[in-house]
Amino acid sequence: LNLIAIESGLDVGGIDADATFLKSVLERDYFWNLRDFSDGLSNGIQSGRILRASCLSPHVGEQELDALLDKNGISWIVDLRDHHEMDRHQYPRDFYIDVHEFPTWYPKNRPSGWPPPILGDTTDYIGFLAGLAPHLSEIIQLINSGKPGLIHCYAGRDRTGILCAILQWLLGCESEDIFRGYMMSSEAEEEAIRHLLNWLEKGIKHSILIDDLGLDDTDIIALRGSLCTKQ
């Protein structure tokens, strides 16, 4: 349309920004729940380092997936799906991106002092966090490599949302910022994320939680050095 207008002698102004925005919208619609880890947060967290999305393996072989990974320089993928989900849609063994499988679900047991479930299984976000704990140190090492990566589960909402939320909490983000970023997910569970964030903010000592997650202060310092913008 812009070219037709120019050929007709009409001045419609520059459209580069609009075209870039439209391309971004179409890309994010093609890959369900695709967005940057920093979306929704206030200033202070680097963009372009981590993408988050729904399951990408059904798109293997499609030009759109190759273009997405190449454009963003993705060198690693964290797959949080459980084994049954992975069996339905697998990455090929010779996939050119390093895929790290960290099967996550809510365990029957959780660390001492953690609250019991008060919501349904699929919205037991504190339980999901307990399921993530064995993998968190390795995931942070991937992030601290400095190479861009992508995190996904099945829908890109619950497990991916909880992983992003705890990483943002470790980075020192405000609860309202974390909440706002999470609520950008389709069919977001407002009550579940509020329950998790209230517990993180008021329900447990920071040092105890860090220990329960298998981390130490060195991990947190390195993570902040890797993702926080330099002031």
Side-chain angles (χ1 to χ4, degrees):
L1 288 175
N2 186 61
L3 291 175
I4 293 172
I6 293 173
E7 290 172 357
S8 302
L10 299 176
D11 182 6
V12 294
I15 64 164
D16 290 347
D18 293 333
T20 300
F21 173 75
L22 178 59
K23 184 177 180 181
S24 171
V25 170
L26 291 173
E27 180 184 78
R28 291 179 179 219
D29 187 58
Y30 187 88
F31 300 104
W32 192 26
N33 261 339
L34 171 68
R35 61 184 188 276
D36 196 278
F37 171 81
S38 66
D39 284 356
L41 302 179
S42 301
N43 294 333
I45 305 301
Q46 294 184 45
S47 62
R49 286 290 311 280
I50 304 173
L51 294 182
R52 50 172 295 177
S54 60
C55 178
L56 296 180
S57 56
H59 298 288
V60 169
E62 298 174 6
Q63 291 182 352
E64 289 82 0
L65 178 59
D66 292 340
L68 170 73
L69 298 174
D70 181 64
K71 183 183 77 173
N72 291 281
I74 301 300
S75 66
W76 53 265
I77 292 174
V78 163
D79 185 350
L80 301 174
R81 294 175 299 158
D82 66 26
H83 292 295
H84 296 294
E85 293 169 314
M86 291 181 188
D87 287 342
R88 289 196 291 271
H89 291 290
Q90 296 181 337
Y91 288 99
R93 292 184 179 274
D94 59 350
F95 194 55
Y96 60 96
I97 304 293
D98 290 331
V99 179
H100 301 262
E101 298 177 353
F102 298 112
T104 299
W105 201 241
Y106 46 87
K108 294 181 179 179
N109 300 313
R110 58 188 76 197
S112 176
W114 289 33
I118 64 170
L119 302 172
D121 285 345
T122 57
T123 52
D124 177 17
Y125 281 3
I126 293 178
F128 278 134
L129 181 57
L132 275 169
H135 313 308
L136 202 51
S137 178
E138 287 185 67
I139 293 172
I140 288 177
Q141 288 179 32
L142 285 172
I143 295 171
N144 290 344
S145 71
K147 301 176 181 178
L150 187 146
I151 296 167
H152 76 79
C153 51
Y154 175 73
R157 180 188 69 200
D158 299 312
R159 286 162 289 184
T160 299
I162 299 319
L163 174 56
C164 290
I166 193 63
L167 290 172
Q168 290 161 359
W169 181 76
L170 293 171
L171 289 167
C173 297
E174 297 290 337
S175 291
E176 282 306 309
D177 281 355
I178 299 173
F179 175 78
R180 182 168 56 251
Y182 167 82
M183 290 300 292
M184 296 172 70
S185 293
S186 58
E187 302 177 4
E189 295 285 352
E190 181 173 353
E191 183 180 5
I193 190 64
R194 283 290 189 195
H195 181 57
L196 172 69
L197 292 175
N198 288 339
W199 176 68
L200 288 176
E201 187 175 356
K202 303 174 182 177
I204 191 168
K205 289 184 178 179
H206 184 279
S207 58
I208 295 175
L209 179 56
I210 296 303
D211 187 59
D212 287 341
L213 294 175
L215 305 174
D216 57 34
D217 289 341
T218 303
D219 297 312
I220 312 307
I221 292 170
L223 181 66
R224 292 181 177 180
S226 178
L227 289 180
C228 292
T229 55
K230 302 298 186 290
Q231 302 298 321

